[in-house]
Each structure stands twice: as structure tokens, then as C-alpha cells.
Amino acid sequence: MTTIPTQKHRNPGLHAAAGALGLALIASFWLSTLGAELFGTTAQIVAVKTAIPYGIVLLVPALIVAGAGGTRLARDRRGPLVTRKSRRMRIVALNGLLILVPSALFLAKKAAAQDFDATFVLVQLAELAAGAVNLALLGANLRDGLTMRDRRLALR
């Protein structure tokens, strides 16, 4: 079997694994936060909010690998799915850098001090909304990625 030069250094498995890890981490942050806020004790809220920044240490590299892998995989491809996935990832990245990471760090600090004032609540609501947006966008990218993979496999 001959390797096509444009496919030589592509690793769709790594891209998929990194994307799935990123999606799973964001979902776990979001669900843990919502569960702690709705049903948890103060200690559970503190535990969740102070643990999330440690998870970000794994999340950021996972999303970087997924984004870089997606860019490499799409290098020679065109079409509406590639365009939509690329646009979504820009929004996910901006949302993460401008809202989610700063919010997580702020909320961890406030939670550690057990300072659950109105600012905490407002930032928490913004974080939950931004997290829901990222979950929806990453879920749509997963769906479109699977569609692209299925089409590629059908051509073989």
C-alpha cells in the first residue's frame, strides 16, 4: 500500500482522542458545577470549584492537540463541514480564553474563601452559559467529524 504524501503525517486517532477528552472534561466540569450548585453542600461546591483549575491543566493541551490535529487533517479538504468545524473551534477557543478559564480561576479563589456573594453567582451563571455553548459547539464538531470520517471511509 502506498502512502499518499498529503496523508503522511496525519493522525486522526490522536485528533479524535484529544477532542473526546476535551469534550468529556468540559462536560464533567459543567455537570459537577451544576450538581454541586443545585444539590451540594458548601464543602462540595468548594471542592468542585477548586478542583476545576487542576483539570484545566489537562483540558488546554487536549484542546490544543485537537485543534492542531483538526487543522492538519483539514489542510487539503474543503467544504461546508470543514468550514463549520473551523468556525466553531474559533468560538470555543475565544470562549475558553476570555470567559471560561478566567471564570474558573476567579470562582476557585472565591470558593476557597467561601465568599459566595452576588459576584460569585453572576460569574458562575456566565461560566455555566459559556460552558453550555462550548459543549454544544464541540458536540456539533464531533458529529461533523464522524460524518467526515464516514464519508472518507466510504471512498476507500
Side-chain angles (χ1 to χ4, degrees):
M1 181 167 143
T2 348
T3 304
I4 301 169
T6 57
Q7 294 179 343
K8 191 173 186 177
H9 298 290
R10 293 182 181 190
N11 191 341
L14 179 61
H15 168 70
L21 176 61
L23 183 59
L25 285 168
I26 292 170
S28 70
F29 297 164
W30 197 88
L31 291 169
S32 298
T33 294
L34 190 63
E37 290 291 339
L38 293 177
F39 308 111
T41 64
T42 298
Q44 290 168 328
I45 294 169
V46 170
V48 167
K49 297 318 296 176
T50 56
I52 288 174
Y54 293 102
I56 290 172
V57 172
L58 184 57
L59 174 64
V60 170
L63 291 179
I64 289 170
V65 169
T71 300
R72 178 169 284 181
L73 289 167
R75 186 177 29 213
D76 299 323
R77 297 182 80 170
R78 301 288 176 262
L81 291 178
V82 173
T83 301
R84 285 196 306 257
K85 282 176 62 89
S86 177
R87 285 183 185 151
R88 285 187 205 117
M89 281 309 295
R90 287 188 197 113
I91 296 167
V92 166
L94 286 173
N95 201 6
L97 289 172
L98 299 177
I99 299 171
L100 292 170
V101 170
S103 295
L105 298 175
F106 174 80
L107 292 169
K109 184 177 178 182
K110 296 279 273 183
Q114 295 192 12
D115 186 7
F116 302 112
D117 60 2
T119 304
F120 180 92
V121 172
L122 286 173
V123 173
Q124 183 63 78
L125 290 171
E127 183 188 51
L128 285 167
V133 167
N134 272 11
L135 282 171
L137 294 173
L138 289 170
N141 271 8
L142 173 62
R143 179 200 62 222
D144 287 350
L146 292 172
T147 300
M148 291 168 67
R149 182 203 63 193
D150 292 345
R151 287 181 186 169
R152 188 182 80 241
L153 292 176
L155 293 174
R156 288 185 178 179

